[in-house]
Amino acid sequence: MMPPSPPGGVRVPFGIPPAQTDAASPADPNGHTVPVASSAGAHPSADHPAKENREVTPEELRAAIDEVLARLDRDLVGLVPVKSRVRDIASLLVVDRLRRAQGLSADPPSLHMSFTGNPGTGKTTVALRMAEILHRLGYSRKGHLVVATRDDLVGQYIGHTAPKTKDVLKRAMGGVLFIDEAYYLYRPENERDYGAEAIEILLQVMEDNRDDLVVILAGYADRMERFFASNPGIKSRIAHHIDFPDYTPDELMQIADLMLEKMMYRFSPAAREAFARYLQRRMRQPHFANARSVRNALDRMRLRQATRLTAQPGTPSREELMMIEAADVLASRVFTTSPTDVEAT
Amino acid sequence: MHLTQGTFSYLPPLSDDEIAAQIRYALDRSWAVSIEYTDDPHPRNVYWEMWGLPMFDLKDPAAVLQELNRCRAEHGDCYIRINAYDRSKGRQTTALSFIVNRPLVEPGFRVERTEFADRQVKYTLHAYATDKPAGQRYGPAGS
Ligand SMILES: Nc1ncnc2c1ncn2[C@@H]1O[C@H](COP(=O)(O)OP(=O)(O)O)[C@@H](O)[C@H]1O
Ligand SMILES: [Mg+2]
């Protein structure tokens, strides 16, 4: 059962909010006039004016999310299982909306999720898209993502944790709270650890404020599993588990191409071939972080390209400005060090 | 006597939905919202007690309403107001301030006349409520 909404609680409106434009704070065209809330009975939401009781057609709902799903497809290479799970959840929400429109009542679907996978597999990126989908379907009033880690939630001394956690939760209301490496909240080896207090508050809010925010917990799969095993209360409130697989070398190559394209760079054929060999080596080294390592590698290659171009005489051509050459790739320390070295450069 | 002050002093009390709408207006403009309460109704009393710190970076009024309801639970017999502070460049000022809770019974004020030299009179407003010590002015909490 849904908990009764608190006195004065704001309900999720039954209408499709307009596509979100960046920060949810349009400038006030009139400066400082303060409109007084409209007459009694009208929903006060400025975001979704007066649409709530209108019947929404399946086409409208589809259109509302198809664009987000298409963008997810376009912007993220691979991740087939993740994309299909996101699509499943979106369909569930669409059907829930249609059922409610027909008066078929059921408990609103539970939306808290866990995203498990190694670093750089796209968890944060997908969480952003998920927030957008929830917003478009009216399950999230603002659709913003608040990212938090243990340090944001847990305090240093007695009485410090509760206000810290509550402050983060308040900022996340109306949107999605993304807790990265959630298992660090729980430190069984230290029974005085304040993390337990944060978990307790979190649990309460996940249960009582389901209208107000969606919680996504993220981190390594094995550690998350252990975290859930010792915190069954949290586990039972998570409805959707999505696992993010590591990328294959091919996918990493495609990700590199995509990132370069967005930055208006490209590999020369020799550079591309060198980068494939770079990936093979880099993947075997410690601290390999999938797409994030690709991004970092590309940033360093841009740096080398810039050094090379400024060292050569004359103004570089447009072609030269765009091209990453094999030399920019091969100068990496990955090619000269053994696989056990700590960080690649 | 129904005490009024602040932005919507000319209106009847706002409903919770209307309060939420005003908070949303403030949050949409990135104003920091704070909650204050007092049991000293004098119009020149500008130093109300703070209910927690001002709230920054919120997106949704539900978070403020939650705090307001906690404040009401503890200080339901006080005046409570919501302030929104506009810290954008060149303003640095309270942009919005309105009463969201009041005691059940508001006994009001009497005018005191003090005569002094040459039959001159000084007028003073005296709140009946402040005859009692702070904390006992409007009956038990929540009444
Ligand atoms: N499948 C992908 N296609 C393209 N870029 C990706 C993909 N997965 C991750 N990235 C990029 O890699 C970086 C790290 O991703 P992120 O979502 O922060 O990973 P995580 O949260 O799992 O550590 C981001 O810049 C993101 O845009
Ligand atoms: Mg991340």
Coordinates of all heavy atoms in Angstrom, one line a residue, chain A residues 6-10 24-29 31-47 141-142 144 166-167 169-175 205 209 212, chain B residues 7-8 10-11 14-22 24-25 27-31 53-67 69-70 72 86 91 95-96 98:
Chain A
P6 N 1.6 13.0 3.1 CA 1.6 13.8 4.3 C 0.7 15.0 4.0 O 0.4 15.4 2.9 CB 3.1 14.3 4.4 CG 3.6 14.1 3.0 CD 2.9 13.0 2.3
P7 N 0.3 15.6 5.1 CA -0.6 16.8 5.0 C 0.2 17.8 4.1 O 1.3 18.1 4.3 CB -0.7 17.4 6.4 CG 0.1 16.5 7.3 CD 0.6 15.3 6.5
G8 N -0.5 18.3 3.1 CA 0.2 19.3 2.2 C 1.1 18.6 1.2 O 1.8 19.3 0.5
G9 N 1.2 17.3 1.2 CA 2.1 16.6 0.3 C 1.6 16.9 -1.1 O 0.5 17.1 -1.4
V10 N 2.6 17.0 -2.0 CA 2.2 17.3 -3.4 C 2.1 16.0 -4.1 O 3.0 15.2 -4.0 CB 3.3 18.2 -4.1 CG1 2.8 18.8 -5.3 CG2 3.6 19.3 -3.1
A24 N 16.0 23.2 -14.6 CA 14.5 23.3 -14.5 C 14.1 24.7 -13.9 O 13.2 24.9 -13.2 CB 13.9 22.3 -13.6
S25 N 14.9 25.7 -14.2 CA 14.6 27.0 -13.7 C 14.6 28.1 -14.8 O 15.6 28.8 -15.0 CB 15.5 27.4 -12.6 OG 16.9 27.2 -13.1
P26 N 13.5 28.2 -15.5 CA 13.4 29.2 -16.5 C 13.5 30.6 -15.9 O 12.9 30.7 -14.8 CB 12.0 29.0 -17.2 CG 11.2 28.3 -16.1 CD 12.2 27.5 -15.3
A27 N 14.1 31.5 -16.5 CA 14.2 32.8 -16.0 C 12.8 33.4 -15.9 O 12.0 33.2 -16.7 CB 15.1 33.7 -16.8
D28 N 12.6 34.2 -14.9 CA 11.3 34.8 -14.7 C 11.3 36.0 -15.6 O 12.0 37.0 -15.4 CB 11.1 35.2 -13.3 CG 9.8 36.0 -13.1 OD1 8.9 35.9 -13.9 OD2 9.8 36.8 -12.1
P29 N 10.4 36.0 -16.6 CA 10.4 37.1 -17.5 C 10.0 38.4 -16.9 O 10.3 39.5 -17.3 CB 9.4 36.7 -18.6 CG 8.5 35.6 -17.9 CD 9.4 35.0 -16.9
G31 N 10.6 39.6 -13.8 CA 11.3 40.0 -12.7 C 10.8 39.4 -11.4 O 10.8 38.3 -11.2
H32 N 10.1 40.2 -10.6 CA 9.8 39.7 -9.3 C 8.3 39.7 -8.9 O 7.9 39.7 -7.8 CB 10.5 40.5 -8.2 CG 10.9 41.9 -8.7 ND1 12.2 42.1 -9.1 CD2 10.3 43.0 -8.9 CE1 12.3 43.4 -9.5 NE2 11.2 43.9 -9.4
T33 N 7.4 39.6 -9.9 CA 6.0 39.5 -9.6 C 5.8 38.1 -9.1 O 6.4 37.1 -9.6 CB 5.2 39.7 -10.8 OG1 5.6 38.9 -11.9 CG2 5.2 41.1 -11.3
V34 N 5.0 38.0 -8.1 CA 4.7 36.7 -7.5 C 3.2 36.3 -7.7 O 2.4 36.9 -7.1 CB 5.0 36.7 -6.0 CG1 4.7 35.3 -5.4 CG2 6.4 37.1 -5.8
P35 N 3.0 35.4 -8.7 CA 1.5 35.1 -8.9 C 1.0 34.4 -7.7 O 1.7 33.5 -7.2 CB 1.6 34.2 -10.1 CG 2.9 33.6 -10.1 CD 3.9 34.6 -9.4
V36 N -0.2 34.7 -7.3 CA -0.8 34.0 -6.2 C -1.4 32.7 -6.8 O -1.9 32.7 -7.9 CB -1.9 34.9 -5.6 CG1 -2.6 34.1 -4.5 CG2 -1.2 36.1 -4.9
A37 N -1.3 31.6 -6.0 CA -1.8 30.3 -6.5 C -3.3 30.5 -7.0 O -4.0 31.2 -6.4 CB -1.7 29.3 -5.4
S38 N -3.6 29.7 -8.0 CA -4.9 29.8 -8.6 C -5.9 29.3 -7.6 O -5.6 28.7 -6.6 CB -4.9 29.1 -9.9 OG -4.4 27.8 -9.7
S39 N -7.2 29.4 -8.0 CA -8.3 29.1 -7.1 C -8.3 27.7 -6.5 O -7.7 26.8 -7.1 CB -9.6 29.3 -7.9 OG -9.6 28.5 -9.0
A40 N -8.9 27.5 -5.4 CA -8.9 26.3 -4.7 C -9.3 25.1 -5.6 O -10.1 25.3 -6.5 CB -9.9 26.3 -3.6
G41 N -8.7 24.0 -5.4 CA -9.0 22.8 -6.2 C -8.1 22.6 -7.4 O -7.7 21.5 -7.7
A42 N -7.6 23.7 -8.0 CA -6.7 23.5 -9.1 C -5.4 23.0 -8.6 O -4.9 23.4 -7.5 CB -6.5 24.9 -9.8
H43 N -4.7 22.2 -9.3 CA -3.4 21.7 -8.9 C -2.4 22.9 -9.0 O -2.4 23.6 -10.0 CB -3.0 20.5 -9.8 CG -1.8 19.8 -9.2 ND1 -0.5 20.3 -9.4 CD2 -1.8 18.7 -8.4 CE1 0.3 19.5 -8.7 NE2 -0.4 18.5 -8.1
P44 N -1.6 23.0 -8.0 CA -0.7 24.2 -8.0 C 0.5 24.0 -8.9 O 1.2 25.0 -9.1 CB -0.2 24.2 -6.6 CG -0.3 22.8 -6.1 CD -1.4 22.2 -6.8
S45 N 0.7 22.9 -9.5 CA 1.9 22.7 -10.3 C 2.1 23.6 -11.4 O 1.2 23.7 -12.3 CB 1.9 21.3 -10.8 OG 3.0 21.2 -11.8
A46 N 3.2 24.3 -11.4 CA 3.5 25.2 -12.5 C 4.1 24.5 -13.7 O 4.1 24.9 -14.8 CB 4.4 26.3 -12.1
D47 N 4.6 23.3 -13.3 CA 5.3 22.5 -14.4 C 4.3 21.8 -15.3 O 4.6 21.6 -16.5 CB 6.2 21.4 -13.7 CG 7.2 22.0 -12.8 OD1 7.7 23.1 -13.1 OD2 7.4 21.4 -11.7
R141 N 8.8 14.7 -10.5 CA 8.2 16.0 -10.8 C 9.3 16.9 -11.5 O 9.0 17.7 -12.3 CB 7.8 16.7 -9.5 CG 6.5 16.0 -8.9 CD 5.9 16.8 -7.8 NE 6.8 16.8 -6.7 CZ 6.7 15.9 -5.7 NH1 5.8 14.9 -5.8 NH2 7.5 15.9 -4.7
K142 N 10.5 16.7 -11.1 CA 11.6 17.5 -11.7 C 12.5 16.8 -12.6 O 13.1 17.4 -13.6 CB 12.4 18.2 -10.6 CG 11.7 19.4 -9.9 CD 11.5 20.5 -10.8 CE 10.7 21.7 -10.2 NZ 10.4 22.7 -11.2
H144 N 15.5 15.7 -12.0 CA 17.0 15.9 -11.8 C 17.7 14.8 -11.1 O 17.0 14.0 -10.4 CB 17.2 17.3 -11.1 CG 16.7 17.3 -9.7 ND1 15.4 17.2 -9.4 CD2 17.3 17.3 -8.5 CE1 15.2 17.2 -8.1 NE2 16.4 17.3 -7.5
K166 N 19.6 14.0 5.6 CA 18.3 14.6 5.3 C 18.4 15.7 4.3 O 17.6 16.0 3.4 CB 17.6 15.1 6.5 CG 17.0 13.9 7.3 CD 16.4 14.4 8.6 CE 15.9 13.2 9.4 NZ 15.7 13.6 10.8
D167 N 19.5 16.5 4.4 CA 19.8 17.6 3.5 C 19.9 17.1 2.0 O 19.3 17.6 1.1 CB 21.0 18.3 3.9 CG 21.2 19.6 3.1 OD1 20.3 20.4 3.2 OD2 22.3 19.7 2.5
L169 N 18.7 14.2 0.9 CA 17.4 13.7 0.5 C 16.5 14.9 0.1 O 15.7 14.7 -0.9 CB 16.8 12.9 1.6 CG 17.5 11.6 1.9 CD1 17.0 11.0 3.2 CD2 17.2 10.6 0.7
K170 N 16.5 16.0 0.8 CA 15.7 17.1 0.4 C 16.0 17.6 -0.9 O 15.2 18.0 -1.7 CB 15.8 18.2 1.5 CG 14.7 18.0 2.6 CD 14.8 19.2 3.5 CE 15.8 19.0 4.6 NZ 15.9 20.2 5.5
R171 N 17.3 17.7 -1.2 CA 17.8 18.2 -2.5 C 17.3 17.3 -3.6 O 17.1 17.7 -4.8 CB 19.3 18.4 -2.5 CG 19.7 19.8 -1.9 CD 21.1 20.1 -2.2 NE 22.0 19.4 -1.4 CZ 23.0 18.6 -1.8 NH1 23.2 18.5 -3.1 NH2 23.8 18.0 -0.9
A172 N 17.2 16.0 -3.3 CA 16.9 15.0 -4.4 C 15.4 14.9 -4.6 O 14.9 14.3 -5.6 CB 17.4 13.7 -4.0
M173 N 14.6 15.5 -3.7 CA 13.1 15.4 -3.8 C 12.7 15.9 -5.2 O 13.1 17.0 -5.6 CB 12.4 16.1 -2.7 CG 12.4 15.2 -1.4 SD 11.3 15.8 -0.2 CE 11.5 14.5 1.0
G174 N 11.7 15.3 -5.7 CA 11.2 15.6 -7.1 C 12.1 15.1 -8.2 O 11.8 15.2 -9.3
G175 N 13.1 14.3 -7.8 CA 14.0 13.8 -8.8 C 14.6 12.4 -8.4 O 13.9 11.6 -7.7
V205 N 12.9 6.8 4.0 CA 12.4 7.7 2.9 C 12.1 6.9 1.7 O 11.1 7.2 1.0 CB 13.6 8.7 2.6 CG1 13.3 9.4 1.3 CG2 13.7 9.7 3.7
N209 N 8.4 8.2 1.2 CA 8.4 9.3 0.2 C 8.5 8.7 -1.2 O 9.2 9.3 -2.0 CB 9.5 10.2 0.5 CG 9.4 10.9 1.8 OD1 9.5 10.3 2.9 ND2 9.1 12.2 1.8
D212 N 8.0 11.1 -3.8 CA 8.9 12.3 -3.9 C 10.2 12.0 -4.5 O 10.8 12.9 -5.0 CB 9.1 12.8 -2.4 CG 7.8 13.4 -1.8 OD1 7.0 13.9 -2.6 OD2 7.6 13.3 -0.6
Chain B
T7 N 4.3 39.2 2.3 CA 3.9 39.3 0.9 C 2.4 39.2 0.6 O 1.9 39.9 -0.2 CB 4.6 38.2 0.0 OG1 6.0 38.2 0.5 CG2 4.6 38.5 -1.4
F8 N 1.7 38.3 1.3 CA 0.3 38.1 1.0 C -0.6 38.5 2.1 O -1.6 37.9 2.4 CB 0.1 36.6 0.7 CG 1.0 36.1 -0.4 CD1 1.9 35.1 -0.2 CD2 1.0 36.7 -1.7 CE1 2.7 34.6 -1.2 CE2 1.8 36.3 -2.7 CZ 2.7 35.3 -2.4
Y10 N -2.6 40.7 2.4 CA -4.0 41.2 2.0 C -4.9 40.0 1.6 O -6.0 40.2 1.3 CB -3.9 42.1 0.7 CG -3.1 41.4 -0.4 CD1 -3.8 40.7 -1.4 CD2 -1.7 41.5 -0.5 CE1 -3.2 40.1 -2.5 CE2 -1.1 40.9 -1.5 CZ -1.8 40.2 -2.5 OH -1.1 39.6 -3.5
L11 N -4.4 38.8 1.8 CA -5.1 37.6 1.4 C -5.5 36.8 2.6 O -4.9 36.8 3.6 CB -4.3 36.7 0.5 CG -4.0 37.2 -0.9 CD1 -3.1 36.2 -1.7 CD2 -5.3 37.5 -1.7
L14 N -3.2 31.0 3.2 CA -3.0 30.2 2.0 C -3.3 28.7 2.4 O -2.9 28.3 3.6 CB -1.6 30.3 1.5 CG -1.2 31.7 1.0 CD1 0.2 31.6 0.4 CD2 -2.1 32.3 0.0
S15 N -3.8 27.9 1.5 CA -3.9 26.5 1.7 C -2.5 25.9 1.5 O -1.6 26.5 1.0 CB -4.9 25.9 0.8 OG -4.3 25.9 -0.5
D16 N -2.4 24.6 1.9 CA -1.1 24.0 1.7 C -0.7 23.9 0.2 O 0.5 24.0 -0.1 CB -1.1 22.6 2.3 CG -0.7 22.6 3.8 OD1 -0.6 23.8 4.3 OD2 -0.5 21.6 4.4
D17 N -1.7 23.7 -0.6 CA -1.4 23.6 -2.1 C -0.9 25.0 -2.6 O 0.0 25.0 -3.4 CB -2.7 23.2 -2.9 CG -2.9 21.7 -2.9 OD1 -2.0 21.0 -2.4 OD2 -3.9 21.3 -3.4
E18 N -1.5 26.0 -2.0 CA -1.1 27.4 -2.4 C 0.3 27.7 -1.9 O 1.1 28.3 -2.5 CB -2.1 28.4 -1.9 CG -3.4 28.3 -2.7 CD -4.6 29.1 -2.0 OE1 -4.5 29.3 -0.8 OE2 -5.5 29.4 -2.7
I19 N 0.6 27.2 -0.6 CA 1.9 27.4 -0.1 C 2.9 26.7 -1.0 O 4.0 27.2 -1.3 CB 2.0 26.8 1.4 CG1 1.1 27.7 2.3 CG2 3.4 26.8 1.9 CD1 0.9 27.1 3.7
A20 N 2.6 25.4 -1.4 CA 3.5 24.6 -2.2 C 3.8 25.4 -3.5 O 4.9 25.4 -4.0 CB 2.9 23.3 -2.5
A21 N 2.7 26.0 -4.1 CA 2.9 26.7 -5.3 C 3.8 27.9 -5.2 O 4.6 28.2 -6.0 CB 1.5 27.2 -5.8
Q22 N 3.7 28.6 -4.0 CA 4.6 29.7 -3.8 C 6.0 29.3 -3.6 O 7.0 29.9 -4.1 CB 4.2 30.6 -2.6 CG 2.8 31.3 -2.8 CD 2.8 32.2 -4.0 OE1 3.9 32.7 -4.5 NE2 1.7 32.4 -4.6
R24 N 7.3 26.6 -4.9 CA 7.8 26.2 -6.2 C 8.2 27.4 -7.0 O 9.3 27.3 -7.7 CB 6.7 25.4 -7.0 CG 7.1 25.0 -8.4 CD 6.0 24.2 -9.1 NE 5.7 23.0 -8.4 CZ 4.5 22.8 -7.8 NH1 3.6 23.7 -7.8 NH2 4.3 21.7 -7.2
Y25 N 7.5 28.5 -6.9 CA 7.9 29.7 -7.6 C 9.3 30.1 -7.1 O 10.1 30.5 -7.9 CB 6.8 30.8 -7.3 CG 7.1 32.1 -8.0 CD1 6.6 32.4 -9.2 CD2 7.9 33.1 -7.3 CE1 6.8 33.6 -9.8 CE2 8.2 34.3 -8.0 CZ 7.6 34.5 -9.2 OH 7.9 35.7 -9.8
L27 N 11.7 28.2 -5.6 CA 12.7 27.3 -6.0 C 13.0 27.4 -7.5 O 14.2 27.2 -7.9 CB 12.3 25.8 -5.7 CG 12.0 25.6 -4.2 CD1 11.6 24.1 -4.0 CD2 13.3 25.9 -3.3
D28 N 12.0 27.6 -8.3 CA 12.3 27.7 -9.7 C 13.2 28.9 -10.0 O 13.8 29.0 -11.1 CB 10.9 27.9 -10.5 CG 10.2 26.6 -10.6 OD1 10.8 25.6 -10.3 OD2 9.0 26.6 -11.1
R29 N 13.3 29.9 -9.1 CA 14.2 31.0 -9.3 C 15.4 30.9 -8.5 O 16.2 31.9 -8.3 CB 13.4 32.3 -8.9 CG 12.6 32.8 -10.1 CD 11.3 33.4 -9.7 NE 10.5 33.5 -10.8 CZ 9.7 32.5 -11.2 NH1 9.7 31.4 -10.5 NH2 9.0 32.6 -12.3
S30 N 15.7 29.7 -8.0 CA 16.9 29.4 -7.2 C 17.0 30.3 -5.9 O 18.1 30.7 -5.5 CB 18.2 29.6 -8.0 OG 18.1 28.8 -9.2
W31 N 15.9 30.7 -5.3 CA 15.9 31.4 -4.1 C 16.0 30.4 -3.0 O 15.4 29.3 -3.0 CB 14.6 32.2 -3.9 CG 14.4 33.3 -4.9 CD1 15.4 33.8 -5.8 CD2 13.2 34.0 -5.2 NE1 14.8 34.7 -6.6 CE2 13.5 34.9 -6.3 CE3 12.0 34.0 -4.7 CZ2 12.6 35.8 -6.8 CZ3 11.0 34.8 -5.2 CH2 11.3 35.7 -6.2
L53 N 18.4 25.5 9.3 CA 19.1 26.5 8.4 C 18.3 26.7 7.1 O 17.5 26.0 6.8 CB 20.5 25.9 8.0 CG 21.5 25.7 9.2 CD1 22.7 24.9 8.7 CD2 21.8 27.0 9.8
P54 N 18.6 27.8 6.5 CA 18.0 28.0 5.2 C 18.3 26.8 4.2 O 19.4 26.2 4.4 CB 18.7 29.3 4.6 CG 19.2 30.0 5.8 CD 19.6 28.9 6.8
M55 N 17.4 26.5 3.4 CA 17.6 25.3 2.5 C 18.0 25.8 1.1 O 17.3 26.5 0.4 CB 16.3 24.6 2.5 CG 15.9 23.9 3.8 SD 14.3 23.2 3.9 CE 13.4 24.6 4.6
F56 N 19.2 25.3 0.7 CA 19.7 25.7 -0.6 C 19.6 24.5 -1.6 O 19.5 23.4 -1.2 CB 21.2 26.0 -0.4 CG 21.4 27.3 0.4 CD1 21.8 27.1 1.7 CD2 21.3 28.5 -0.1 CE1 22.0 28.3 2.5 CE2 21.5 29.7 0.6 CZ 21.9 29.5 2.0
D57 N 19.5 24.9 -2.8 CA 19.6 23.9 -3.9 C 18.5 22.9 -3.9 O 18.7 21.8 -4.4 CB 21.0 23.1 -3.8 CG 22.2 24.0 -3.9 OD1 22.0 25.1 -4.6 OD2 23.2 23.8 -3.3
L58 N 17.4 23.2 -3.4 CA 16.2 22.3 -3.5 C 15.6 22.5 -4.9 O 15.7 23.5 -5.5 CB 15.2 22.6 -2.4 CG 15.6 22.5 -1.0 CD1 14.4 22.6 -0.1 CD2 16.3 21.1 -0.7
K59 N 14.9 21.4 -5.3 CA 14.2 21.4 -6.6 C 12.7 21.3 -6.4 O 12.0 21.8 -7.3 CB 14.7 20.3 -7.5 CG 16.1 20.4 -8.0 CD 16.1 21.3 -9.3 CE 17.4 21.2 -10.0 NZ 18.4 22.1 -9.4
D60 N 12.3 20.8 -5.3 CA 10.9 20.4 -5.2 C 10.3 20.9 -3.9 O 10.9 20.7 -2.8 CB 10.8 18.9 -5.3 CG 9.3 18.5 -5.5 OD1 8.9 18.5 -6.6 OD2 8.7 18.1 -4.5
P61 N 9.1 21.5 -3.9 CA 8.5 22.0 -2.7 C 8.2 21.0 -1.6 O 8.1 21.3 -0.4 CB 7.2 22.7 -3.2 CG 7.0 22.3 -4.6 CD 8.3 21.8 -5.1
A62 N 8.1 19.7 -2.0 CA 7.8 18.7 -1.0 C 8.8 18.7 0.1 O 8.4 18.4 1.3 CB 7.8 17.3 -1.7
A63 N 10.1 19.0 -0.2 CA 11.1 19.0 0.8 C 10.8 20.1 1.9 O 11.0 19.9 3.1 CB 12.5 19.2 0.2
V64 N 10.4 21.3 1.4 CA 10.1 22.4 2.3 C 8.8 22.1 3.1 O 8.8 22.3 4.3 CB 9.9 23.7 1.5 CG1 9.6 24.8 2.5 CG2 11.2 24.0 0.8
L65 N 7.8 21.5 2.4 CA 6.6 21.2 3.2 C 6.8 20.2 4.3 O 6.2 20.3 5.3 CB 5.5 20.7 2.2 CG 4.8 21.8 1.4 CD1 3.9 21.2 0.3 CD2 3.9 22.6 2.4
Q66 N 7.7 19.3 4.0 CA 8.1 18.3 5.0 C 8.6 19.0 6.3 O 8.2 18.7 7.4 CB 9.1 17.3 4.4 CG 9.5 16.2 5.3 CD 10.4 15.3 4.6 OE1 10.1 14.7 3.6 NE2 11.6 15.1 5.1
E67 N 9.5 19.9 6.0 CA 10.1 20.7 7.2 C 9.0 21.5 7.8 O 9.0 21.7 9.1 CB 11.2 21.6 6.7 CG 12.6 20.9 6.5 CD 13.0 20.1 7.7 OE1 12.9 20.7 8.8 OE2 13.5 19.0 7.5
N69 N 5.9 21.0 8.1 CA 5.0 20.1 8.9 C 5.7 19.7 10.2 O 5.1 19.5 11.2 CB 4.5 18.9 8.1 CG 3.4 19.3 7.1 OD1 2.7 20.3 7.4 ND2 3.4 18.7 5.9
R70 N 7.0 19.5 10.1 CA 7.8 19.2 11.3 C 7.7 20.4 12.3 O 7.6 20.2 13.5 CB 9.2 18.8 11.0 CG 9.3 17.4 10.4 CD 10.8 17.0 10.2 NE 11.6 17.1 11.4 CZ 12.8 17.7 11.4 NH1 13.3 18.1 10.3 NH2 13.4 17.8 12.5
R72 N 5.4 22.7 12.3 CA 4.1 22.8 12.8 C 3.8 21.9 14.0 O 3.2 22.2 15.0 CB 3.1 22.5 11.7 CG 2.8 23.7 10.8 CD 2.0 23.2 9.6 NE 1.5 24.3 8.8 CZ 1.1 24.1 7.6 NH1 1.1 22.9 7.0 NH2 0.7 25.2 6.8
D86 N 16.7 35.9 -2.2 CA 17.3 36.0 -3.5 C 18.7 36.5 -3.4 O 19.0 37.7 -3.2 CB 16.4 37.0 -4.4 CG 16.9 37.1 -5.8 OD1 17.9 36.4 -6.1 OD2 16.3 37.9 -6.5
R91 N 20.8 41.8 -5.8 CA 19.6 41.8 -5.0 C 19.9 41.6 -3.5 O 19.7 42.5 -2.7 CB 18.6 40.8 -5.5 CG 18.1 41.1 -6.9 CD 16.6 40.9 -7.0 NE 16.2 41.0 -8.4 CZ 15.6 40.1 -9.1 NH1 15.3 38.9 -8.5 NH2 15.3 40.3 -10.3
A95 N 13.0 38.0 -0.9 CA 12.2 38.3 -2.1 C 10.7 38.0 -1.8 O 9.8 38.4 -2.5 CB 12.7 37.5 -3.3
L96 N 10.5 37.1 -0.8 CA 9.2 36.6 -0.5 C 9.2 36.2 0.9 O 10.1 35.6 1.4 CB 9.0 35.4 -1.4 CG 7.7 34.7 -1.5 CD1 6.6 35.6 -2.0 CD2 7.8 33.5 -2.5
F98 N 6.0 35.1 3.9 CA 4.6 35.0 4.2 C 4.3 34.1 5.3 O 5.0 33.1 5.5 CB 3.8 34.7 2.9 CG 4.2 33.4 2.3 CD1 3.5 32.2 2.5 CD2 5.3 33.3 1.4 CE1 3.8 31.0 1.8 CE2 5.7 32.2 0.8 CZ 4.9 31.0 1.0

